[in-house]
Amino acid sequence: RRTDGRYGVGYRLVGLAQQARDQFDLQALAHPHLVTLTGICGFTTHLAALEGADIVYVDKVEPAGSVRLYSQIGKPVPLHTASAAKAVLANLPRERTLRLLEGWKYTSYTSTTITSQNALLEEFDRTEQRGWAVDDGEFEDFINCIASPIRDETGQVIGAVSITALRAISDLTRLELLLPDLLRTSNAISRELGWLPE
């Protein structure tokens, strides 16, 4: 509230508005790439973005006639199971990742769920080294997923693209055959955001 009794827009609100605008820009820019990737692979693709302390799905493209997946736009993803979350968290400075994981509950959903921070950090190391992440039926045992990070003009990871498939249609080994298409997509989005690979 100002000294004259009127209310002004606070910095927090301005920051939230900027964050929303950045997300919209990312979604608008990335959407055609997701459509193309879905057309190539025949599976559902997602765009996830880092939003404060959450990683949230901001877009989803499903192939025509496919089984609809439960994932919802605007909903945070489980940080210890979702491949999109792993693709982001593995590539942030470790101190920031640890802050985001503070107080996180490692709920066991399936037999393959990672249930401790140490095991998750080891998975992050593997993810960062190879350049992509997996969800091996860790949230729902009938679904698996691969994801790769999106970078902004500074090289910082701000989100991820993922491909999700029913295990009965494509197991993880078969899904990984789509890695060249997935990496080409995330790199194309990153370049449009101003990222220049070394």
Side-chain angles (χ1 to χ4, degrees):
R1 189 170 178 177
R2 296 175 178 157
T3 53
D4 62 3
R6 292 185 302 159
Y7 286 91
V9 176
Y11 289 116
R12 180 162 168 70
L13 187 58
V14 171
L16 289 171
Q18 178 65 36
Q19 192 174 66
R21 189 184 69 80
D22 290 347
Q23 267 198 13
F24 177 77
D25 289 348
L26 175 61
Q27 188 274 338
L29 182 150
H31 185 76
H33 294 279
L34 292 191
V35 171
T36 299
L37 180 60
T38 296
I40 290 168
C41 70
F43 297 122
T44 298
T45 58
H46 292 93
L47 173 69
L50 182 59
E51 179 186 299
D54 294 319
I55 295 167
V56 176
Y57 286 131
V58 295
D59 200 3
K60 173 182 181 180
V61 176
E62 295 178 301
S66 69
V67 176
R68 292 187 65 81
L69 300 180
Y70 172 71
S71 53
Q72 294 175 301
I73 304 301
K75 186 172 180 180
V77 303
L79 298 182
H80 67 303
T81 65
S83 63
K86 293 177 192 173
V88 174
L89 294 175
N91 289 284
L92 294 178
R94 188 51 55 94
E95 316 81 65
R96 187 173 182 201
T97 295
L98 290 172
R99 281 199 307 275
L100 292 170
L101 291 172
E102 260 177 38
W104 186 258
K105 291 186 171 42
Y106 293 85
T107 304
S108 179
Y109 297 104
T110 73
S111 62
T112 55
T113 302
I114 295 171
T115 55
S116 74
Q117 182 167 292
N118 284 342
L120 186 61
L121 294 178
E122 288 175 10
E123 179 66 12
F124 288 164
D125 290 338
R126 287 188 289 273
T127 297
E128 183 184 22
Q129 192 169 28
R130 71 185 170 216
W132 47 275
V134 301
D135 168 357
D136 184 14
E138 295 164 45
F139 183 66
E140 295 171 303
D141 58 10
F142 56 91
I143 285 176
N144 50 42
C145 190
I146 55 175
S148 58
I150 296 170
R151 299 177 186 276
D152 66 11
E153 74 280 359
T154 69
Q156 180 180 334
V157 171
I158 59 166
V161 175
S162 67
I163 301 174
T164 304
L166 295 174
R167 190 187 293 271
I169 296 173
S170 178
D171 63 15
L172 199 53
T173 302
R174 186 173 162 211
L175 203 55
E176 287 173 5
L177 295 175
L178 297 168
L179 278 167
D181 299 307
L182 174 67
L183 295 169
R184 194 159 41 244
T185 301
S186 60
N187 287 340
I189 296 167
S190 298
R191 280 194 295 271
E192 282 200 44
L193 290 168
W195 176 62
L196 297 172
E198 295 174 1

